[in-house]
Amino acid sequence: MDTLKTHLPPARNGEYDVIVPNLDGPGQFYIRETVGGGMAEFFGYCRLVDGSKNPAEIANVFQKQGDVILAVDGIPASKKSFEKVVAMIQRSSMNKYTFLRMGDPDIALAPGSSEDEDLSSVQRTFLAKQHLEEEIQCLEKALSTREEQIIDLRQELMQKRQELQETNLQ
């Protein structure tokens, strides 16, 4: 993934990029409208139905509560209403991943920041590549987990067969 980062215009001071895998069911993070209004900010992580941490929280992808959403999937969001940013994130949740450019509101929104710049087509190409690479990593992790589950099931099956055999001998 580091080789792809060279194609992405670098995040400016106070900015960082977040990739959130989209799951079936509830979202992975909460946003709210900023106190001054008009922007969306990270408010916290959502828990899974069973109460456990979701992948975004486990990876601690957001730097801190109150960071603002500057772009969703490469589309600038800093000049859009809160409702439009919510709609952008909802549309993005139909994809495997949501890409967010986040920013510390005290630094990233200062004059001369990327708020005034559109993201380039190079960045859009990068996003597509990055989404695919992240998807591959998630699939590899899922495969590894499934392989471990198969090993556990085989061991349990062997144990049950052993118990059955011992029962038949008595």
Side-chain angles (χ1 to χ4, degrees), residues 1 23 30 58 61 84 90 153:
M1 188 154 52
L23 307 174
Y30 295 108
I58 291 169
V61 296
K84 286 186 180 179
Q90 287 172 338
L153 288 171

Side-chain angles (χ1 to χ4, degrees), residues 39-146:
M39 292 193 71
E41 67 180 8
F42 169 69
F43 185 61
Y45 293 101
C46 303
R47 290 295 174 118
L48 297 178
V49 176
D50 65 2
S52 63
K53 293 180 177 181
N54 68 56
E57 184 176 9
I58 291 169
N60 197 29
V61 296
F62 294 97
Q63 290 182 2
K64 67 179 177 29
Q65 185 175 334
D67 284 350
V68 294
I69 299 172
L70 301 175
V72 178
D73 291 335
I75 300 168
S78 59
K79 292 184 179 181
K80 297 197 181 331
S81 70
F82 175 75
E83 291 77 17
K84 286 186 180 179
V85 174
V86 169
M88 291 167 69
I89 292 171
Q90 287 172 338
R91 275 193 306 276
S92 180
S93 70
M94 292 184 229
N95 302 321
K96 290 262 186 196
Y97 300 93
T98 297
F99 173 84
L100 301 171
R101 171 137 305 168
M102 302 296 296
D104 179 322
D106 297 328
I107 300 170
L109 299 180
S113 71
S114 66
E115 178 185 22
D116 299 326
E117 298 175 8
D118 284 339
L119 301 176
S120 70
S121 62
V122 172
Q123 186 168 6
R124 291 177 195 272
T125 301
F126 164 78
L127 293 176
K129 289 179 181 179
Q130 190 170 24
H131 284 195
L132 288 172
E133 181 135 333
E134 290 292 322
E135 189 172 339
I136 289 168
Q137 288 176 354
C138 283
L139 289 171
E140 288 172 344
K141 187 173 182 177
L143 179 61
S144 174
T145 301
R146 294 268 159 68

